[in-house]
Structure formats: C-alpha cells, structure tokens
Amino acid sequence: FADELGHCVYLFERDCSLQRRHQKVVEEAPAPGMTDARRRQMGEAACAAAHAVGYVGAGTVEFIAEHDFATSGCFYFMEMNTRLQVEHPVTEMITGLDLVEWQLRVASGERLPLSQSQLRANGHAIEARIYAENPDRGFLPSIGTLVHLRTPPAVAFTVGADAGGRPAAVRIDAGVGEGDAITPHYDPMIAKLIVWGESRAQAVARMREALARFEAAGPSTNVDFLGRLLRCR
C-alpha cells in the first residue's frame, strides 16, 4: 500500500497455492512456513517494486517461491495486480484493518494511516471461494437457479479491534442469493467464505465446519470438493 507522499508498507503475505484451472480457490494468511526474515525480505521487495514505478494505492505483488524458500530465500517476481484482490479479506482478518477505507484515504491525498513498524498480524485466516461449478467435470461452470441457499451464520468481526480481544470470526461475502440465476455471462462465484482463528489449525477446523453448514441447491457447486481439500491441510 503506497500513498502520494512516498510512504509504502507491506501488509504481510497471503499464500494462494491451492488453485484449479490456474485460478485460486483457497487463500490464507499468513503463509505456512514463512519466517520473519523471509517475510521482511519479500515485503521489502514488494515495496521496492511499488516505489520503482511511483505506485499509489493498494496493490498485490505476486511472487513464486522455490520449494525450499524458507531456507534458500529464492523467490521470483510474477506480476503486480494494481488493485485489491478477491482474497483481501484474509489480510483484513489478520491485521484488523479496513483496506477499502485505506484506499479512500489514500485517494484523497492522505498519508497512510500506519507505518510498517505499527503493523501487526494476529492469528490465521482462510478464504474459500464457493463456485457454481462441477469438480467432477474438470471444474466446468454450472448454470441454473439457486433454488436453495443457506450459509453458515456470520460471527461478528470488528475491523480495527484490539488484536488481543478479537472474536473468532466467520465472514461471508456474497453477490447472489436464493432465487438468483447463475448465468454463463458472468463469473460463477456464489460467495467467499472467510474464517479466522488463533492458529492455522483452528482456522482450518472452523473452515471445515463452515463448509459443512453451507447449503446450495440448483447448480452444481464445489463445496464438497473444498471440504475434501481442507481435510488434506
């Protein structure tokens, strides 16, 4: 995140290795196995890239890492997405920040609200993308009317809450509801399901539970596939 005054910070990292058809389906923060030294190395490289082009606003710098990255430190630049990404809620979950608010403040010419030394990551967050698609047919999109849609209850999450007092959270970002049609003209995403836990193990357990309580009828969905995937984590 960079402002017009030359300040730039990195909001830690997300791991987006779980993909299908070159598209992310599960994202988490922080990345498993990341050390503080490697996190700083990668974050500083991201800020250097932003400074090099005079970038202002939110952006996601994507790197691909060697399999032994934790020890070798070898990683390579892939691309920069000049926007918030679909998985930005996991960053909000572990930092307690409202990144959309930050965008508005920076766009108004304000200084970044926090410096790098003031940023803290707390706990672990995971996002699963619920798609209308058929995993048994190569994840091909599935169309039709959502005749039934019931999501697990969201647990209140206060952005900006003190890191020591943040409640366990379940967040659901959805653009469709029961009775809506999934058409071939748009991305078949039904919802994003995001959970937070004090540890990665707790977050995985909460995601499994949340997926088990997600009900959708009409088009095929990847809910069962995501459940199987989380059982392998």
Side-chain angles (χ1 to χ4, degrees):
F1 230 114
D3 62 24
E4 295 178 355
L5 306 176
H7 305 108
C8 185
V9 298
Y10 59 89
L11 300 173
F12 311 106
E13 80 285 343
R14 299 186 291 259
D15 186 293
C16 304
S17 299
L18 296 182
Q19 304 185 15
R20 56 90 180 97
R21 298 177 68 188
H22 307 291
Q23 176 65 57
K24 306 163 190 173
V25 288
V26 175
E27 302 99 356
E28 58 183 309
M34 179 73 83
T35 65
D36 289 339
R38 298 306 183 208
R39 176 175 293 113
R40 183 170 57 254
Q41 180 185 10
M42 189 173 281
E44 290 175 353
C47 286
H51 278 307
V53 296
Y55 187 76
V56 173
T60 300
V61 181
E62 294 195 358
F63 298 106
I64 189 167
E66 293 279 10
H67 70 282
D68 60 347
F69 168 68
T71 54
S72 72
C74 293
F75 62 95
Y76 309 94
F77 174 82
M78 293 177 62
E79 64 179 2
M80 180 175 182
N81 293 291
T82 54
R83 53 182 169 78
L84 287 181
Q85 289 193 276
V86 172
E87 64 272 18
H88 81 272
V90 295
T91 297
E92 293 187 331
M93 286 286 207
I94 65 167
T95 60
L97 302 174
D98 185 332
L99 301 188
V100 175
E101 178 187 352
W102 274 41
Q103 280 193 311
L104 295 172
R105 290 185 177 278
V106 167
S108 299
E110 294 184 23
R111 179 178 180 146
L112 286 173
L114 297 173
S115 65
Q116 192 66 58
S117 62
Q118 294 174 300
L119 291 166
R120 296 288 185 273
N122 180 50
H124 201 94
I126 302 174
E127 175 181 293
R129 302 189 189 189
I130 311 296
Y131 279 103
E133 63 183 18
N134 191 335
D136 296 328
R137 297 186 62 196
F139 300 96
L140 289 176
S142 179
I143 61 174
T145 300
L146 282 167
V147 297
H148 172 75
L149 180 63
R150 181 172 299 166
T151 62
V155 177
F157 173 72
T158 304
V159 171
D162 178 76
R166 178 180 302 156
V170 176
R171 170 175 166 177
I172 297 144
D173 292 359
V176 296
E178 190 172 287
D180 289 341
I182 304 297
T183 75
H185 307 297
Y186 300 97
D187 186 277
M189 186 186 296
I190 295 173
K192 299 185 298 181
L193 182 59
I194 311 105
V195 302
W196 178 89
E198 294 180 0
S199 65
R200 185 172 186 266
Q202 188 179 68
V204 168
R206 286 182 174 149
M207 177 60 79
R208 290 174 182 166
E209 180 182 359
L211 286 167
R213 301 179 69 178
F214 196 102
E215 301 175 7
S220 298
T221 74
N222 66 338
V223 172
D224 288 344
F225 167 78
L226 291 169
R228 295 194 301 272
L229 194 62
L230 266 294
R231 288 194 291 274
C232 296
R233 301 286 282 169

